[in-house]
Amino acid sequence: MRGFVSILFFLGISATPILSQTLVEPNQNFVWESFSFVFPETVVVKWESTSSKKLTVYPAKRDGFFMVVRTLPWNEPLDDKTLWKDSVFTKAIEPKQFQKSLGNQNFQIFQADQVRNQNALRNQVWIGLESKPALWIWIQWKSDRKDLTEFFESNLFLPL
């Protein structure tokens, strides 16, 4: 097996998912998998080319938030709603669940606060109800960043 990996390396063939990254300026429209996003500050965007496509977004200059976006391989991701909350929200404080319509898109949103590594954090998971492929967005930001709270809770990251 070790020899096989060495041959792959020698030929320049990677056994890991292909990663790409780019720098995106604030308020610039960024399109990925036919979905459009806007970010509140300069960010680094990384995407993986695997069977389940994944986009990871984090600030380029200062700490404060991150976002993970995935396309899901099934049409109805809400079969077990507690599974979604438990998979993202560790020791959730005041968990909420609500629906929101933006343009012609409907989303199921799970939201909760939590304390992690002495940081007060706000979490939201957005699940596209009609989008094909199914869209899943996890956003986490520091609660003391009021500019980010306004940006994410006002849906400014999804220019629909």
Side-chain angles (χ1 to χ4, degrees):
M1 181 67 179
R2 190 170 161 192
F4 178 71
V5 172
S6 297
I7 291 171
L8 287 176
F9 182 73
F10 176 73
L11 294 174
I13 300 171
S14 174
T16 60
I18 298 171
L19 286 174
S20 297
Q21 68 182 30
T22 191
L23 191 68
V24 179
E25 294 297 323
N27 304 314
Q28 178 183 347
N29 196 20
F30 178 80
V31 178
W32 176 78
E33 294 294 315
S34 77
F35 300 105
S36 186
F37 301 95
V38 174
F39 306 107
E41 55 194 61
T42 305
V43 296
V44 174
V45 178
K46 288 184 172 187
W47 59 94
E48 290 182 44
S49 179
T50 63
S51 60
S52 173
K53 296 181 172 126
K54 177 182 168 187
L55 181 77
T56 306
V57 180
Y58 54 91
K61 297 180 181 175
R62 63 179 179 160
D63 195 20
F65 78 95
F66 80 90
M67 178 188 289
V68 177
V69 183
R70 293 180 185 267
T71 58
L72 301 175
W74 59 84
N75 293 333
E76 298 296 330
L78 294 175
D79 289 340
D80 184 3
K81 294 176 183 169
T82 58
L83 175 64
W84 287 99
K85 286 192 269 188
D86 294 342
S87 69
V88 175
F89 304 137
T90 306
K91 298 181 182 174
I93 302 168
E94 298 182 31
K96 297 175 187 156
Q97 176 180 331
F98 52 95
Q99 284 195 4
K100 192 173 275 194
S101 294
L102 299 173
N104 61 351
Q105 297 282 325
N106 292 311
F107 293 91
Q108 181 73 35
I109 301 170
F110 299 100
Q111 178 175 294
D113 293 329
Q114 71 183 125
V115 176
R116 186 180 282 175
N117 298 330
Q118 299 179 353
N119 290 307
L121 303 171
R122 168 74 43 101
N123 290 277
Q124 286 186 340
V125 173
W126 291 61
I127 301 171
L129 298 176
E130 289 97 18
S131 60
K132 305 257 189 276
L135 181 66
W136 181 89
I137 305 169
W138 175 24
I139 310 165
Q140 184 177 74
W141 68 91
K142 289 184 175 182
S143 297
D144 63 349
R145 291 277 312 267
K146 299 302 179 198
D147 59 324
L148 295 177
T149 299
E150 182 178 336
F151 183 84
F152 289 119
E153 290 186 356
S154 297
N155 323 314
L156 298 176
F157 66 98
L158 285 173
L160 296 175

